[in-house]
Amino acid sequence: MRKKIVAGNWKMNTTVPEGVELAKAVLAKSAEVPAGVGLIVATPFTHLTEVAKVVKGSRVELSAQNCADKVSGAYTGEVSAAMLESVGCKWTILGHSERRQYYGETDAKLVEKTRLALEQGLGVILCVGENLDQREAGKHLEVCTEQIKNVLYNFSAEDMKRIVVAYEPVWAIGTGKTATADQAEEIHACIRKVLADKFGAKVADDTTILYGGSCKPSNAKELFSRKDIDGGLIGGAALKADDFIAIAQSF
Ligand code: PGA
């Protein structure tokens, strides 16, 4: 069955001690979130080991924000899926628009990254989304469809059990501009249809599709009330435990 999830993407924020405090604050309030809602914190690589100790044995699951497209070896500065797994990571975000935009991440690379993450037993939160020009040109459905096909059509229905999709319109990320619930629902329904075309209706129906882009306590309820929006990938608001928890209470 499709799971509701709220995942915090901390991006390049907090020092390790600050991150440990934030994780502790999230953990302390996690009991206030209904049992059926999955909670994930995606921390910087440097924080994973320490935050793993904080959340160990709890309902809060640990995620990375990226992983390498190679298994191991001479790839200076990279962090492999096996390394993530070894510190207690359960998930990795892949294909965030900031990585696509600033670090040249391509769909082809994302296929490799997804494959290696799944092979290590990690779950993948795959991000897709159009930029402002693409939306204004009316190409948003097309762009998201292509991104989903380019990456996920290389995987199996079985693999899809460990893949979550996050729709993140680039124009809404960190800008304070949120997609309206109608705009988000249109894309979520489209993504589910694209998944159904390849994997069948059951797999598509069971896939969790998150919304991300200036999601906050004041708009989460409206967004999460839509039938194809199963939760959120939260940036800025995930840096405050109270806001993050309030969003997770918005179903
Ligand atoms: P934002 O970021 O909530 O700060 O807009 C969301 C994201 O990029 O995951």
Side-chain angles (χ1 to χ4, degrees):
M1 224 190 64
R2 195 191 302 177
K3 200 167 164 22
K4 296 183 191 327
I5 294 175
V6 172
N9 175 10
W10 294 4
K11 307 192 181 183
M12 198 172 72
N13 292 297
T14 74
T15 61
V16 174
E18 287 164 355
V20 165
E21 286 315 304
L22 177 55
K24 283 183 180 164
V26 168
L27 187 64
K29 289 177 171 288
S30 59
E32 296 167 22
V33 175
V37 179
L39 294 173
I40 298 174
V41 291
T43 80
F45 290 136
T46 44
H47 299 39
L48 292 170
T49 304
E50 290 305 315
V51 173
K53 291 179 197 160
V54 175
V55 302
K56 192 164 189 238
S58 82
R59 64 185 288 185
V60 180
E61 296 185 332
L62 188 61
S63 177
Q65 300 171 13
N66 180 30
C67 83
D69 62 340
K70 300 286 192 297
V71 175
S72 67
Y75 302 103
T76 302
E78 289 294 304
V79 174
S80 74
M83 293 171 189
L84 298 179
E85 194 275 336
S86 75
V87 294
C89 242
K90 296 270 180 280
W91 296 90
T92 184
I93 297 172
L94 290 177
H96 191 281
S97 64
E98 288 152 13
R99 295 217 54 88
R100 293 177 188 259
Q101 190 179 344
Y102 306 134
Y103 301 99
E105 198 131 301
T106 60
D107 286 336
K109 263 196 187 150
L110 291 171
V111 173
E112 277 314 290
K113 292 185 175 203
T114 302
R115 192 173 63 75
L116 294 172
L118 292 177
E119 277 173 16
Q120 280 302 322
L122 299 175
V124 169
I125 302 171
L126 178 76
C127 303
V128 299
E130 81 286 358
N131 63 30
L132 188 59
D133 289 348
Q134 292 164 331
R135 172 150 293 260
E136 284 176 347
K139 294 201 181 314
H140 45 292
L141 294 171
E142 199 181 304
V143 168
C144 295
T145 298
E146 279 309 298
Q147 289 174 339
I148 291 284
K149 284 188 176 173
N150 288 346
V151 181
L152 295 184
Y153 274 26
N154 295 285
F155 295 92
S156 67
E158 191 57 29
D159 293 332
M160 286 303 299
K161 290 183 182 158
R162 284 186 292 125
I163 295 174
V164 164
V165 176
Y167 166 56
E168 299 211 313
V170 178
W171 49 271
I173 295 176
T175 56
K177 270 193 217 165
T178 318
T180 64
D182 284 345
Q183 286 173 323
E185 173 62 22
E186 181 190 32
I187 300 264
H188 282 234
C190 165
I191 290 170
R192 211 177 290 288
K193 164 87 173 57
V194 175
L195 293 176
D197 288 346
K198 166 80 177 169
F199 302 108
K202 169 86 172 76
V203 171
D205 203 48
D206 285 349
T207 302
T208 297
I209 307 178
L210 308 178
Y211 168 78
S214 301
C215 184
K216 42 192 179 251
S218 59
N219 58 32
K221 219 185 181 76
E222 165 78 7
L223 287 158
F224 297 176
S225 69
R226 296 311 176 97
K227 79 176 179 21
D228 290 300
I229 303 180
D230 308 314
L233 180 55
I234 318 300
L239 297 173
K240 290 196 187 122
D242 286 348
D243 285 356
F244 182 65
I245 293 295
I247 292 169
Q249 292 172 316
S250 300
F251 290 97

